[in-house]
Amino acid sequence: MAWSYRKRIKIIPGVHLNFSKRGISTTIGVKGASINFGKSGTTVNTNVLGFSTRHKLSGSPSRPKPVSSYPAIPEAQPYLLEENIFSADIHEITSQNMQGIKEAIILAQQQKKDLNSDLRKITRALSATKAKKILSYVFLYGLIKKEIPQNSDRDIKTQQEAIKQTKEMIEKCYVNLEIDFDSDIKRKFEKAYESFKKLTTSQKIWDITSAHFQDRVATRSSAGTIVSRRQVNFELRAISYIKSDYQALYMKNANGADIYIYPTFIVMYTNETNFAIIGINELNFQQTYTRFTETSTVPRDSKIIGQTWAKVNKNGTRDKRFKSNYQIPVVRYGNIRLSTQTGLREEYEFSNYELTEEFGKAFREFQSEFRS
């Protein structure tokens, strides 16, 4: 009996994002059948044999609670005291209006998983068919019944073609992120994109994981806060299930899910089963600077703005009771804090303040388009 294979028919979801002064709308689906999430509500669009229909599923969603804004001019601010700094559980962070995009990504992941299962089955079947053909000659019955090796040859050809097609389909298992920018919004995003690329060149980038108050009088120290930090990297990177003209602004997270910033949403990503999506307009973005008493080596791209002593008096002068007392540089570092009402909460520090300020200004200008 000849081998047969019923090819799975997969529909990879597409996500089309429209950016304009009127707001953001998201379309999920394929040509002829799609769902649109916009300011005026949710609609289903179909087109069959040239006849188009548009059915409204819901009305205008309720207005989101306004998010707090931060000053455009960065100011030095103290660390938040007596706390560890980390985000909420990943399953709690996804925004309600971003759930559709998350479902599209999950669908693409499931399709890839199913196709990989198919590929393994076909590969095993191909190995069995080749073995069957060889055995037919070893035991001579293949020489007597010529249709046996002939059938095996047909099966082998069919299985090899099925493997080729399945691999091609696996390569297409992703969410295609198509972005339509207004020219002004596009210019602002590309400015933020380029300034982020510069920011990644900072000699040192730290993830602030905790900040705790200390008694300066008892410790004889000029620093009122003890900070725990871990060096991380920033870069341009993409999630494999999302295809876009722009790579994401990637921020490594030392104590939780990594952050990927796309033009209209943020992905908190641990792995393909643990991720959250947040609308970019919901992000509280704060860029400031920090006066940091640096007891380690001062990075080359940092500026020393003062000096202090390892042991100081109440007024900040050198405590002469300690003979081995030594000077410590005070440097200015850039600082970025990210938070949302759904639970994202991260803080980063940068050795290059100027690049931090440039990115902060560019990102706020881009984000303001969605808050205005």
Side-chain angles (χ1 to χ4, degrees), residues 152-335:
S152 295
D153 287 338
R154 284 196 298 270
D155 288 350
I156 289 171
K157 185 177 180 180
T158 303
Q159 290 161 353
Q160 289 174 337
E161 179 62 25
I163 288 173
K164 178 184 176 182
Q165 291 181 10
T166 303
K167 287 182 176 179
E168 290 174 353
M169 294 170 71
I170 289 173
E171 291 298 317
K172 296 177 182 178
C173 286
Y174 56 81
V175 170
N176 187 28
L177 187 61
E178 298 179 2
I179 302 171
D180 285 342
F181 279 118
D182 277 1
S183 58
D184 188 46
I185 299 177
K186 182 177 181 180
R187 178 182 58 80
K188 290 182 178 180
F189 174 74
E190 290 182 344
K191 184 178 179 181
Y193 191 84
E194 291 300 319
S195 62
F196 180 84
K197 286 170 66 175
K198 294 180 184 179
L199 183 62
T200 64
T201 65
S202 297
Q203 188 183 357
K204 297 283 187 180
I205 301 175
W206 298 277
D207 183 356
I208 306 299
T209 57
S210 67
H212 301 278
F213 171 80
Q214 74 168 351
D215 189 333
R216 289 189 293 180
V217 176
T219 59
R220 315 301 294 179
S221 172
S222 62
T225 308
I226 297 295
V227 174
S228 295
R229 60 184 185 176
R230 291 169 61 181
Q231 190 171 344
V232 296
N233 68 296
F234 280 24
E235 61 183 283
L236 296 174
R237 182 189 291 190
I239 296 174
S240 61
Y241 291 98
I242 300 176
K243 301 295 182 183
S244 172
D245 292 337
Y246 298 96
Q247 289 186 297
L249 313 184
Y250 170 76
M251 303 178 176
K252 176 68 177 175
N253 187 1
N255 60 347
D258 295 337
I259 299 171
Y260 293 78
I261 300 180
Y262 284 92
T264 186
F265 58 82
I266 299 164
V267 183
M268 293 284 290
Y269 190 89
T270 302
N271 53 51
E272 64 182 46
T273 58
N274 292 293
F275 67 95
I277 301 182
I278 306 156
I280 201 140
N281 60 317
E282 299 175 53
L283 178 69
N284 288 330
F285 178 92
Q286 183 179 12
Q287 178 264 311
T288 61
Y289 71 87
T290 303
R291 292 174 56 90
F292 194 90
T293 304
E294 186 56 85
T295 56
S296 300
T297 303
V298 176
R300 293 189 303 272
D301 57 352
S302 300
K303 290 185 178 179
I304 298 175
I305 57 176
Q307 297 284 342
T308 186
W309 298 91
K311 301 295 181 181
V312 298
N313 297 312
K314 290 182 180 180
N315 60 4
T317 59
R318 179 187 180 188
D319 191 332
K320 296 181 180 180
R321 294 176 300 172
F322 297 88
K323 292 183 179 180
S324 59
N325 205 352
Y326 56 91
Q327 276 193 311
I328 301 175
V330 177
V331 297
R332 183 171 66 171
Y333 288 148
N335 183 279

Side-chain angles (χ1 to χ4, degrees), residues 15-235:
V15 177
H16 191 89
L17 302 174
N18 304 292
F19 292 72
S20 70
K21 293 290 185 181
R22 296 186 299 273
I24 310 169
S25 67
T26 304
T27 301
I28 299 176
V30 295
K31 187 176 181 180
S34 62
I35 299 177
N36 182 267
F37 303 87
K39 204 170 184 181
S40 59
T42 304
T43 57
V44 176
N45 308 292
T46 59
N47 189 318
V48 180
L49 299 176
F51 295 95
S52 300
T53 60
R54 182 178 176 88
H55 178 65
K56 195 167 187 178
L57 295 181
S58 64
S60 300
S62 58
R63 287 183 176 272
K65 294 180 180 179
V67 292
S68 57
S69 58
Y70 295 101
I73 301 175
E75 301 174 353
Q77 294 189 9
Y79 292 99
L80 303 175
L81 301 183
E82 295 293 348
E83 62 180 13
N84 296 320
I85 302 171
F86 58 90
S87 297
D89 185 272
I90 199 71
H91 298 292
E92 301 175 4
I93 296 178
T94 293
S95 309
Q96 186 174 359
N97 62 345
M98 291 287 112
Q99 192 65 39
I101 297 177
K102 182 174 181 179
E103 292 298 330
I105 295 173
I106 291 173
L107 177 58
Q109 292 172 347
Q110 185 59 49
Q111 290 175 354
K112 188 171 186 178
K113 182 179 178 181
D114 292 343
L115 286 168
N116 277 316
S117 177
D118 289 347
L119 183 61
R120 288 191 294 271
K121 292 177 182 178
I122 302 168
T123 303
R124 288 196 297 267
L126 177 61
S127 299
T129 304
K130 288 180 177 179
K132 179 182 177 182
K133 179 181 177 181
I134 293 171
L135 290 173
S136 71
Y137 288 116
V138 171
F139 294 103
L140 303 179
Y141 62 84
L143 297 175
I144 299 171
K145 292 187 176 183
K146 303 246 184 224
E147 66 271 15
I148 294 177
Q150 289 174 354
N151 289 339
S152 295
D153 287 338
R154 284 196 298 270
D155 288 350
I156 289 171
K157 185 177 180 180
T158 303
Q159 290 161 353
Q160 289 174 337
E161 179 62 25
I163 288 173
K164 178 184 176 182
Q165 291 181 10
T166 303
K167 287 182 176 179
E168 290 174 353
M169 294 170 71
I170 289 173
E171 291 298 317
K172 296 177 182 178
C173 286
Y174 56 81
V175 170
N176 187 28
L177 187 61
E178 298 179 2
I179 302 171
D180 285 342
F181 279 118
D182 277 1
S183 58
D184 188 46
I185 299 177
K186 182 177 181 180
R187 178 182 58 80
K188 290 182 178 180
F189 174 74
E190 290 182 344
K191 184 178 179 181
Y193 191 84
E194 291 300 319
S195 62
F196 180 84
K197 286 170 66 175
K198 294 180 184 179
L199 183 62
T200 64
T201 65
S202 297
Q203 188 183 357
K204 297 283 187 180
I205 301 175
W206 298 277
D207 183 356
I208 306 299
T209 57
S210 67
H212 301 278
F213 171 80
Q214 74 168 351
D215 189 333
R216 289 189 293 180
V217 176
T219 59
R220 315 301 294 179
S221 172
S222 62
T225 308
I226 297 295
V227 174
S228 295
R229 60 184 185 176
R230 291 169 61 181
Q231 190 171 344
V232 296
N233 68 296
F234 280 24
E235 61 183 283

